Amino acid sequence: MKLYIMKREALETLKANLPVVYGKYYTEKTNQWISDICGEDPFIEFKDVTEFKLADLNSDLTPGEIDLNNCKILYEKLQFLSESQASDERLWAGLAHTTFYDYMRKRWGYGYGKKPKSAEKEAGAIQTRFFYRYTGRSGFYRNTLSKCWWVGHNTYDPNNNQNHFESLDIIGSNDLNSKINEFFYNFTFSSNPDVMAAIIEALRQFKEEGRHVLVRDHIRPAMSYLNAVGGSVVIDCLEREKITRIFADAVDAIMQGDVPTLNLEGNISAEEEDIDYSDDENTDAVDTSDVPEVTLGCKVVIRNIDKETKTYKYDMVNGMLPKAVEVFTGCKVGDVIEMRGKEWRIEDVIF
């Protein structure tokens, strides 16, 4: 099983043209179109590894369970990666567009029944899932494959021979992407394995007591409180048991409707970012304000006042867009265009 990285030039070309080519992710079952867009082979072979498969998308697993399983699989199988290599956007963009291209399309419904939204939303979602939309941790904790490796990396315990991923199991699959945001992205102190182990221990205690800890209601404010504590003491220097107690006491106070003793509002880290993961958890969510737009690879269905219907393929031919379909550029369902002296309404955009 060969792993490929994406050439820097190809990566930049694809990202820059996503508002135009996003439809290819819906229509193209193979990645040959990427070479056509870039004008050359966009990939470089990186490494040959023992073949493995990601979590089964045809099972009854929830999106959170799929991601949790992939955290274990990707880190175990690619454990040889250095942190520098695992931070490189070219690696994950390469894997998402080669070895796991069909998996990624199916995971997000591209070509598997999902209807595209606006060009802006589609380009943004694809950039986040297949590339890095932002730099640094925000990039690799949101990319579909990269985030799984990094979460696996930060929860793997080589000394726990019974279950190397016990910490990850305690975090659990429910609302997993929001937990990833709170535990691994928003706060730098959680990158310290001792601090993370202390937080996991508090979660274990709540789990054993049968108390349900919610991300937005309990974990987020407790993490903010712990970060505020870091404004007066160096959290990394505290004993693990002390950190566990601080975090658990904060959750307890919040559950009881109390406010932890420090003033949270003035101490929340500037890094903290409230990211909406609803689309990650619910791939069937529909925004009625979104209207399908014409993009490369789609078929455009038009109808005139006489109820004549025509269908055109909107795509490149020999590297150029045919003049006959240029009229559809920038249009969406419901728009009216003029063709051959008649007005035609765009009835549908098919992917």
Side-chain angles (χ1 to χ4, degrees), residues 264-323:
L264 299 185
E265 295 301 323
N267 291 280
I268 294 177
S269 169
E271 294 180 19
E272 187 173 351
E273 179 182 345
D274 186 5
I275 296 176
D276 180 10
Y277 283 102
S278 58
D279 196 41
D280 290 357
E281 298 295 346
N282 179 14
T283 57
D284 296 323
V286 176
D287 185 344
T288 55
S289 66
D290 290 311
V291 179
E293 298 182 8
V294 175
T295 184
L296 287 180
C298 74
K299 292 180 180 179
V300 184
V301 180
I302 60 175
R303 177 179 295 188
N304 64 20
I305 195 170
D306 298 321
K307 296 185 179 181
E308 292 179 90
T309 301
K310 295 181 181 293
T311 301
Y312 290 85
K313 178 74 172 179
Y314 185 82
D315 208 349
M316 299 282 193
V317 176
N318 298 324
M320 297 181 64
L321 192 65
K323 286 189 177 296

Side-chain angles (χ1 to χ4, degrees), residues 217-218 221-222 225 248-262 264:
D217 295 345
H218 309 128
Y225 175 74
D249 287 349
V251 173
D252 269 328
I254 294 162
M255 284 182 168
Q256 295 169 20
D258 296 333
V259 179
T261 53
L262 288 179
L264 299 185

Side-chain angles (χ1 to χ4, degrees), residues 203-220:
L203 295 179
R204 182 207 304 274
Q205 293 173 12
F206 286 117
K207 189 172 184 178
E208 290 175 349
E209 294 168 3
R211 302 169 69 187
H212 191 44
V213 181
L214 302 175
V215 178
R216 290 183 180 274
D217 295 345
H218 309 128
I219 291 176
R220 176 173 298 168

Side-chain angles (χ1 to χ4, degrees), residues 92-344:
W92 303 110
L95 294 182
H97 290 87
T98 55
T99 309
F100 300 116
Y101 176 69
D102 186 58
Y103 187 90
M104 289 286 290
R105 290 179 71 242
K106 190 170 186 178
R107 169 68 176 87
W108 295 113
Y110 300 131
Y112 288 87
K114 178 185 175 183
K115 281 283 188 180
K117 300 178 181 180
S118 67
E120 181 180 359
K121 288 190 175 182
E122 290 298 329
I126 290 170
Q127 187 172 347
T128 296
R129 295 162 178 169
F130 285 76
F131 303 91
Y132 287 179
R133 190 172 185 179
Y134 307 101
T135 58
R137 292 185 306 153
S138 182
F140 57 71
Y141 274 120
R142 294 223 67 196
N143 173 281
T144 300
L145 301 176
S146 173
K147 74 179 177 188
C148 290
W149 188 94
W150 277 97
V151 171
H153 174 69
N154 286 320
T155 56
Y156 183 86
D157 183 357
N159 299 315
N160 186 341
N161 292 324
Q162 289 188 329
N163 182 1
H164 293 308
F165 291 105
E166 184 180 11
S167 293
L168 182 56
D169 289 335
I170 291 172
I171 291 174
S173 62
N174 185 45
D175 207 6
L176 179 61
N177 283 300
S178 293
K179 291 175 182 174
I180 290 173
N181 184 46
E182 299 304 325
F183 289 139
F184 303 108
Y185 170 64
N186 272 348
F187 304 98
T188 55
F189 60 76
S190 60
S191 61
N192 181 316
D194 288 330
V195 174
M196 195 65 231
I199 295 171
I200 296 294
E201 179 56 32
L203 295 179
R204 182 207 304 274
Q205 293 173 12
F206 286 117
K207 189 172 184 178
E208 290 175 349
E209 294 168 3
R211 302 169 69 187
H212 191 44
V213 181
L214 302 175
V215 178
R216 290 183 180 274
D217 295 345
H218 309 128
I219 291 176
R220 176 173 298 168
M223 290 292 286
S224 296
Y225 175 74
L226 190 57
N227 187 62
V229 171
S232 55
V233 298
V234 180
I235 292 179
D236 300 60
C237 295
L238 295 177
E239 293 182 356
R240 185 181 297 184
E241 293 75 13
K242 176 69 172 177
I243 299 172
T244 297
R245 189 162 63 253
I246 292 172
F247 183 82
D249 287 349
V251 173
D252 269 328
I254 294 162
M255 284 182 168
Q256 295 169 20
D258 296 333
V259 179
T261 53
L262 288 179
N263 178 10
L264 299 185
E265 295 301 323
N267 291 280
I268 294 177
S269 169
E271 294 180 19
E272 187 173 351
E273 179 182 345
D274 186 5
I275 296 176
D276 180 10
Y277 283 102
S278 58
D279 196 41
D280 290 357
E281 298 295 346
N282 179 14
T283 57
D284 296 323
V286 176
D287 185 344
T288 55
S289 66
D290 290 311
V291 179
E293 298 182 8
V294 175
T295 184
L296 287 180
C298 74
K299 292 180 180 179
V300 184
V301 180
I302 60 175
R303 177 179 295 188
N304 64 20
I305 195 170
D306 298 321
K307 296 185 179 181
E308 292 179 90
T309 301
K310 295 181 181 293
T311 301
Y312 290 85
K313 178 74 172 179
Y314 185 82
D315 208 349
M316 299 282 193
V317 176
N318 298 324
M320 297 181 64
L321 192 65
K323 286 189 177 296
V325 298
E326 286 182 353
V327 67
F328 301 124
T329 302
C331 293
K332 59 184 181 295
V333 171
D335 286 351
V336 176
I337 56 97
E338 186 173 328
M339 180 182 286
R340 298 180 182 178
K342 292 184 179 181
E343 287 190 343
W344 299 77

Side-chain angles (χ1 to χ4, degrees), residues 52-77 103 107 144-145 147-149 151-152 155 163 165 168-169 172-174 176 180:
F52 65 91
K53 293 183 178 180
L54 297 180
D56 187 359
L57 298 176
N58 293 321
S59 65
D60 294 329
L61 296 176
T62 65
E65 290 169 336
I66 288 170
D67 282 347
L68 187 141
N69 285 341
N70 283 339
C71 289
K72 298 177 181 180
I73 295 169
L74 277 169
Y75 186 68
E76 280 191 323
K77 301 302 182 181
Y103 187 90
R107 169 68 176 87
T144 300
L145 301 176
K147 74 179 177 188
C148 290
W149 188 94
V151 171
T155 56
N163 182 1
F165 291 105
L168 182 56
D169 289 335
S173 62
N174 185 45
L176 179 61
I180 290 173

